[in-house]
Short mmCIF file of all heavy atoms in Angstrom, two decimals:
data_model
loop_
_atom_site.label_atom_id
_atom_site.label_comp_id
_atom_site.label_asym_id
_atom_site.label_seq_id
_atom_site.Cartn_x
_atom_site.Cartn_y
_atom_site.Cartn_z
N ILE A 1 0.84 -1.21 0.00
CA ILE A 1 0.00 0.00 0.00
C ILE A 1 0.87 1.25 0.00
O ILE A 1 0.63 2.20 -0.75
CB ILE A 1 -0.95 0.00 1.22
CG1 ILE A 1 -2.02 -1.10 1.05
CG2 ILE A 1 -1.61 1.37 1.40
CD1 ILE A 1 -2.82 -1.37 2.32
N LYS A 2 1.90 1.27 0.83
CA LYS A 2 2.76 2.44 0.96
C LYS A 2 3.80 2.56 -0.15
O LYS A 2 4.44 3.59 -0.28
CB LYS A 2 3.48 2.41 2.31
CG LYS A 2 2.53 2.57 3.48
CD LYS A 2 3.27 2.48 4.79
CE LYS A 2 2.28 2.57 5.94
NZ LYS A 2 2.92 2.38 7.22
N LYS A 3 4.01 1.48 -0.89
CA LYS A 3 5.00 1.43 -1.96
C LYS A 3 6.42 1.67 -1.45
O LYS A 3 7.28 2.15 -2.15
CB LYS A 3 4.68 2.44 -3.07
CG LYS A 3 3.30 2.34 -3.66
CD LYS A 3 3.16 1.10 -4.50
CE LYS A 3 1.82 1.10 -5.20
NZ LYS A 3 1.06 -0.08 -5.00
N SER A 4 6.63 1.34 -0.20
CA SER A 4 7.96 1.41 0.39
C SER A 4 8.36 -0.02 0.70
O SER A 4 7.64 -0.73 1.39
CB SER A 4 7.91 2.24 1.68
OG SER A 4 9.13 2.17 2.35
N PHE A 5 9.51 -0.45 0.20
CA PHE A 5 9.82 -1.86 0.21
C PHE A 5 10.87 -2.31 1.22
O PHE A 5 11.34 -3.42 1.18
CB PHE A 5 10.22 -2.32 -1.18
CG PHE A 5 9.13 -2.07 -2.18
CD1 PHE A 5 9.33 -1.23 -3.24
CD2 PHE A 5 7.89 -2.65 -2.02
CE1 PHE A 5 8.30 -0.99 -4.14
CE2 PHE A 5 6.87 -2.42 -2.91
CZ PHE A 5 7.08 -1.58 -3.98
N SER A 6 11.26 -1.48 2.12
CA SER A 6 12.18 -1.94 3.17
C SER A 6 12.01 -1.11 4.42
O SER A 6 11.55 0.01 4.38
CB SER A 6 13.63 -1.89 2.69
OG SER A 6 14.03 -0.56 2.49
N VAL A 7 12.37 -1.73 5.52
CA VAL A 7 12.32 -1.06 6.81
C VAL A 7 13.65 -1.33 7.49
O VAL A 7 14.00 -2.49 7.73
CB VAL A 7 11.17 -1.61 7.68
CG1 VAL A 7 11.15 -0.95 9.04
CG2 VAL A 7 9.83 -1.45 6.99
N LYS A 8 14.39 -0.28 7.79
CA LYS A 8 15.65 -0.43 8.53
C LYS A 8 16.47 -1.63 8.08
O LYS A 8 16.64 -2.59 8.83
CB LYS A 8 15.37 -0.55 10.03
CG LYS A 8 14.79 0.66 10.67
CD LYS A 8 14.67 0.42 12.16
CE LYS A 8 13.92 1.54 12.83
NZ LYS A 8 13.69 1.25 14.23
N GLU A 9 16.92 -1.62 6.89
CA GLU A 9 17.81 -2.67 6.37
C GLU A 9 17.12 -3.99 6.10
O GLU A 9 17.73 -4.90 5.58
CB GLU A 9 19.01 -2.90 7.31
CG GLU A 9 19.82 -1.68 7.61
CD GLU A 9 20.43 -1.05 6.36
OE1 GLU A 9 20.93 -1.77 5.49
OE2 GLU A 9 20.39 0.18 6.25
N GLU A 10 15.87 -4.16 6.50
CA GLU A 10 15.17 -5.41 6.20
C GLU A 10 14.40 -5.23 4.91
O GLU A 10 13.57 -4.34 4.79
CB GLU A 10 14.21 -5.81 7.33
CG GLU A 10 13.57 -7.14 7.07
CD GLU A 10 12.64 -7.58 8.18
OE1 GLU A 10 12.70 -7.03 9.28
OE2 GLU A 10 11.85 -8.50 7.91
N LYS A 11 14.68 -6.07 3.96
CA LYS A 11 14.01 -5.99 2.67
C LYS A 11 12.76 -6.85 2.71
O LYS A 11 12.64 -7.76 3.52
CB LYS A 11 14.96 -6.46 1.57
CG LYS A 11 16.16 -5.55 1.45
CD LYS A 11 17.10 -6.02 0.38
CE LYS A 11 18.27 -5.05 0.36
NZ LYS A 11 19.34 -5.49 -0.47
N ILE A 12 11.86 -6.58 1.77
CA ILE A 12 10.61 -7.32 1.75
C ILE A 12 10.83 -8.81 1.51
O ILE A 12 10.08 -9.64 2.02
CB ILE A 12 9.61 -6.72 0.75
CG1 ILE A 12 8.22 -7.31 1.00
CG2 ILE A 12 10.07 -6.91 -0.67
CD1 ILE A 12 7.09 -6.51 0.48
N ILE A 13 11.86 -9.15 0.77
CA ILE A 13 12.13 -10.59 0.56
C ILE A 13 12.38 -11.29 1.88
O ILE A 13 12.01 -12.44 2.06
CB ILE A 13 13.30 -10.82 -0.43
CG1 ILE A 13 13.37 -12.30 -0.80
CG2 ILE A 13 14.61 -10.32 0.13
CD1 ILE A 13 14.32 -12.64 -1.92
N ASP A 14 12.96 -10.58 2.85
CA ASP A 14 13.18 -11.17 4.18
C ASP A 14 11.86 -11.51 4.85
O ASP A 14 11.75 -12.52 5.55
CB ASP A 14 13.98 -10.21 5.07
CG ASP A 14 15.36 -9.90 4.50
OD1 ASP A 14 15.95 -10.80 3.86
OD2 ASP A 14 15.84 -8.77 4.70
N THR A 15 10.85 -10.69 4.63
CA THR A 15 9.54 -10.95 5.20
C THR A 15 8.91 -12.18 4.54
O THR A 15 8.33 -13.03 5.22
CB THR A 15 8.63 -9.72 5.04
OG1 THR A 15 9.29 -8.58 5.61
CG2 THR A 15 7.30 -9.91 5.74
N TYR A 16 9.04 -12.28 3.23
CA TYR A 16 8.54 -13.48 2.54
C TYR A 16 9.25 -14.73 3.03
O TYR A 16 8.62 -15.76 3.25
CB TYR A 16 8.73 -13.35 1.02
CG TYR A 16 7.66 -12.54 0.35
CD1 TYR A 16 7.87 -11.19 0.07
CD2 TYR A 16 6.45 -13.11 -0.01
CE1 TYR A 16 6.89 -10.43 -0.56
CE2 TYR A 16 5.47 -12.37 -0.63
CZ TYR A 16 5.69 -11.03 -0.90
OH TYR A 16 4.72 -10.29 -1.51
N ILE A 17 10.55 -14.64 3.20
CA ILE A 17 11.33 -15.79 3.69
C ILE A 17 10.84 -16.19 5.07
O ILE A 17 10.67 -17.38 5.37
CB ILE A 17 12.84 -15.47 3.68
CG1 ILE A 17 13.33 -15.43 2.24
CG2 ILE A 17 13.63 -16.47 4.52
CD1 ILE A 17 14.72 -14.86 2.06
N ASP A 18 10.59 -15.20 5.93
CA ASP A 18 10.05 -15.50 7.27
C ASP A 18 8.71 -16.22 7.18
O ASP A 18 8.47 -17.20 7.89
CB ASP A 18 9.89 -14.22 8.09
CG ASP A 18 11.21 -13.62 8.52
OD1 ASP A 18 12.25 -14.31 8.48
OD2 ASP A 18 11.20 -12.43 8.92
N VAL A 19 7.83 -15.75 6.30
CA VAL A 19 6.51 -16.37 6.14
C VAL A 19 6.67 -17.82 5.68
O VAL A 19 6.07 -18.74 6.25
CB VAL A 19 5.63 -15.58 5.14
CG1 VAL A 19 4.37 -16.37 4.76
CG2 VAL A 19 5.25 -14.22 5.71
N ILE A 20 7.49 -18.01 4.66
CA ILE A 20 7.70 -19.37 4.13
C ILE A 20 8.27 -20.27 5.22
O ILE A 20 7.80 -21.40 5.42
CB ILE A 20 8.59 -19.33 2.88
CG1 ILE A 20 7.83 -18.66 1.73
CG2 ILE A 20 9.06 -20.74 2.49
CD1 ILE A 20 8.70 -18.27 0.53
N ASN A 21 9.27 -19.78 5.95
CA ASN A 21 9.87 -20.61 6.99
C ASN A 21 8.91 -20.89 8.14
O ASN A 21 8.88 -22.02 8.66
CB ASN A 21 11.17 -19.99 7.49
CG ASN A 21 12.34 -20.35 6.59
OD1 ASN A 21 12.29 -21.31 5.84
ND2 ASN A 21 13.40 -19.57 6.66
N TYR A 22 8.10 -19.92 8.53
CA TYR A 22 7.10 -20.20 9.57
C TYR A 22 6.11 -21.26 9.10
O TYR A 22 5.70 -22.13 9.87
CB TYR A 22 6.33 -18.93 9.96
CG TYR A 22 7.00 -18.09 11.02
CD1 TYR A 22 7.31 -16.76 10.78
CD2 TYR A 22 7.29 -18.61 12.27
CE1 TYR A 22 7.91 -15.97 11.76
CE2 TYR A 22 7.90 -17.84 13.26
CZ TYR A 22 8.20 -16.52 13.00
OH TYR A 22 8.80 -15.75 13.96
N LEU A 23 5.70 -21.19 7.83
CA LEU A 23 4.77 -22.18 7.31
C LEU A 23 5.42 -23.57 7.28
O LEU A 23 4.77 -24.57 7.62
CB LEU A 23 4.27 -21.78 5.92
CG LEU A 23 3.24 -20.65 5.93
CD1 LEU A 23 3.12 -20.01 4.56
CD2 LEU A 23 1.89 -21.15 6.42
N ILE A 24 6.68 -23.64 6.91
CA ILE A 24 7.38 -24.93 6.91
C ILE A 24 7.53 -25.44 8.34
O ILE A 24 7.32 -26.63 8.60
CB ILE A 24 8.75 -24.81 6.20
CG1 ILE A 24 8.53 -24.53 4.70
CG2 ILE A 24 9.56 -26.10 6.38
CD1 ILE A 24 9.79 -24.19 3.94
N ILE A 25 7.84 -24.56 9.26
CA ILE A 25 7.92 -24.96 10.68
C ILE A 25 6.56 -25.49 11.14
O ILE A 25 6.50 -26.51 11.84
CB ILE A 25 8.40 -23.78 11.55
CG1 ILE A 25 9.91 -23.56 11.34
CG2 ILE A 25 8.06 -23.99 13.02
CD1 ILE A 25 10.44 -22.26 11.91
N ALA A 26 5.49 -24.84 10.75
CA ALA A 26 4.15 -25.30 11.12
C ALA A 26 3.89 -26.70 10.56
O ALA A 26 3.34 -27.57 11.25
CB ALA A 26 3.10 -24.31 10.62
N LEU A 27 4.32 -26.93 9.33
CA LEU A 27 4.17 -28.26 8.72
C LEU A 27 4.99 -29.31 9.46
O LEU A 27 4.54 -30.44 9.66
CB LEU A 27 4.57 -28.21 7.24
CG LEU A 27 3.62 -27.44 6.33
CD1 LEU A 27 4.28 -27.20 4.97
CD2 LEU A 27 2.29 -28.16 6.17
N ILE A 28 6.20 -28.94 9.86
CA ILE A 28 7.04 -29.86 10.63
C ILE A 28 6.37 -30.19 11.96
O ILE A 28 6.32 -31.35 12.37
CB ILE A 28 8.45 -29.25 10.86
CG1 ILE A 28 9.22 -29.19 9.54
CG2 ILE A 28 9.23 -30.07 11.90
CD1 ILE A 28 10.51 -28.39 9.62
N LYS A 29 5.84 -29.18 12.63
CA LYS A 29 5.20 -29.39 13.92
C LYS A 29 3.99 -30.31 13.80
O LYS A 29 3.74 -31.13 14.68
CB LYS A 29 4.83 -28.06 14.56
CG LYS A 29 6.05 -27.31 15.09
CD LYS A 29 5.68 -26.06 15.82
CE LYS A 29 4.90 -26.25 17.07
NZ LYS A 29 5.48 -27.04 18.14
N ILE A 30 3.26 -30.20 12.70
CA ILE A 30 2.13 -31.10 12.48
C ILE A 30 2.63 -32.53 12.35
O ILE A 30 2.05 -33.46 12.92
CB ILE A 30 1.31 -30.67 11.24
CG1 ILE A 30 0.56 -29.38 11.54
CG2 ILE A 30 0.34 -31.78 10.82
CD1 ILE A 30 -0.09 -28.74 10.34
N GLU A 31 3.69 -32.70 11.60
CA GLU A 31 4.24 -34.05 11.43
C GLU A 31 4.72 -34.62 12.77
O GLU A 31 4.58 -35.81 13.03
CB GLU A 31 5.39 -34.04 10.42
CG GLU A 31 5.87 -35.43 10.10
CD GLU A 31 6.72 -35.52 8.86
OE1 GLU A 31 6.49 -34.75 7.91
OE2 GLU A 31 7.60 -36.39 8.84
N LEU A 32 5.28 -33.75 13.61
CA LEU A 32 5.76 -34.20 14.91
C LEU A 32 4.63 -34.44 15.90
O LEU A 32 4.84 -35.06 16.93
CB LEU A 32 6.73 -33.17 15.50
CG LEU A 32 8.05 -32.99 14.78
CD1 LEU A 32 8.81 -31.80 15.36
CD2 LEU A 32 8.88 -34.25 14.87
N LYS A 33 3.45 -33.90 15.60
CA LYS A 33 2.30 -33.91 16.49
C LYS A 33 2.69 -33.29 17.83
O LYS A 33 3.09 -32.15 17.87
CB LYS A 33 1.73 -35.31 16.63
CG LYS A 33 1.32 -35.90 15.30
CD LYS A 33 -0.10 -36.27 15.26
CE LYS A 33 -0.63 -36.86 14.02
NZ LYS A 33 -0.03 -36.78 12.76
N CYS A 34 2.65 -34.01 18.91
CA CYS A 34 2.95 -33.43 20.23
C CYS A 34 4.39 -33.68 20.67
O CYS A 34 4.78 -33.28 21.76
CB CYS A 34 1.99 -33.99 21.28
SG CYS A 34 0.28 -33.57 20.95
N GLU A 35 5.15 -34.34 19.83
CA GLU A 35 6.53 -34.65 20.19
C GLU A 35 7.35 -33.37 20.36
O GLU A 35 7.36 -32.50 19.51
CB GLU A 35 7.15 -35.51 19.08
CG GLU A 35 8.47 -36.13 19.46
CD GLU A 35 8.97 -37.04 18.33
OE1 GLU A 35 8.15 -37.76 17.75
OE2 GLU A 35 10.16 -36.99 18.07
#
């Protein structure tokens, strides 16, 4: 919306990477169940 693509040295790709990694972590946790 703001058309500004970075905040204090963090680029937007870093945010996408975080999202992807959190989703992969969530998938791992599902596979582990309660372990």
